Amino acid sequence: MPYADDALAPVISSGTIGYHYGKHHKGYYDTVLKTVKGSDLADATLEEIIRKTAAAPERVALFNASAQLWNHNFYWSSMRAKGGGKPGGALAEGIERDFGGYEAFRKEFLAAATGQFGSGWVWLVRGTDNRLAVVKTANADTPMAHGIACLLCCDIWEHAYYLDWQNRRADYVNAWLDRLVNWDFVARNPG
Ligand code: FE
């Protein structure tokens, strides 16, 4: 983890991090290690495991665990203490160009988060047309499995926010955007 368990409070409490990182994330990690051991993917990178199993329906359990492991690593890096708000520099220009401004981006991100039925993720990506876009994925699915460059992600599984926000997913995502987004991480992504 790039920060202490209580660094993201009160938006995300140390209790949530304890379960989310200590139980959920660790569960995915343990499953990936156990499943690839002695297999043809034993020496593969996490990215290779995800891309290979994404195209193999019989390996959906390994895809789910490995994609969830990658998604969570990306999620932890997408946040920092005292983050959030508008980005600057080239990111601000890209958001202006492709969304028409930060407020329009923010509205689209929130709509994707609240519009996702059930568990999943909301992403800022750079599409194959080189434009920034907001996309949502269900369950373990991840844009990187489909060759799309990820820049930022928010976990909207209930385990990410239920202890702190109960059923108020929109409040969680609003606070997440305003107070936690790590724009420095977004800017460093090759995208
Ligand atoms: Fe999660």
Side-chain angles (χ1 to χ4, degrees):
M1 286 288 279
Y3 32 70
D5 280 8
D6 62 355
L8 308 179
V11 180
I12 298 174
S13 64
S14 59
T16 291
I17 297 285
Y19 279 100
H20 200 174
Y21 182 69
K23 305 285 185 192
H24 292 276
H25 183 124
K26 184 175 187 307
Y28 300 128
Y29 177 80
D30 291 345
T31 298
V32 171
L33 283 193
K34 193 175 70 190
T35 310
V36 301
K37 195 174 176 188
S39 82
D40 58 318
L41 294 172
D43 298 321
T45 65
L46 183 57
E47 288 79 5
E48 287 167 349
I49 293 169
I50 293 166
R51 293 199 175 107
K52 284 188 176 163
T53 56
E58 72 281 8
R59 300 181 105 173
V60 66
L62 179 55
F63 172 78
N64 285 338
S66 56
Q68 281 294 80
L69 180 55
W70 193 92
N71 291 349
H72 280 91
N73 283 331
F74 207 84
Y75 173 63
W76 306 128
S77 296
S78 290
M79 303 182 285
R80 68 175 178 87
K82 299 191 176 75
K86 296 180 189 178
L91 269 172
E93 288 168 23
I95 285 173
E96 185 69 38
R97 182 190 66 225
D98 297 336
F99 294 97
Y102 175 78
E103 287 307 320
F105 153 75
R106 197 186 180 294
K107 202 171 157 188
E108 195 170 327
F109 197 95
L110 189 64
T114 54
Q116 170 60 29
F117 183 78
S119 297
W121 301 83
V122 179
W123 306 82
L124 174 65
V125 301
R126 188 180 300 282
T128 48
D129 58 0
N130 210 34
R131 293 176 69 84
L132 299 177
V134 167
V135 298
K136 56 186 195 285
T137 57
N139 300 319
D141 200 14
T142 181
M144 67 79 80
H146 313 289
I148 296 169
C150 300
L151 300 178
L152 173 75
C153 84
C154 183
D155 189 341
I156 52 169
W157 284 57
E158 285 185 348
H159 66 226
Y161 62 87
Y162 221 83
L163 288 179
D164 301 315
W165 299 91
Q166 294 76 50
N167 62 327
R168 292 173 290 134
R169 184 189 285 181
D171 290 349
Y172 155 65
V173 177
N174 266 311
W176 191 89
L177 285 165
D178 291 341
R179 302 174 69 172
L180 295 185
V181 173
N182 184 351
W183 288 115
D184 292 337
F185 170 71
V186 177
R188 283 197 304 271
N189 276 318

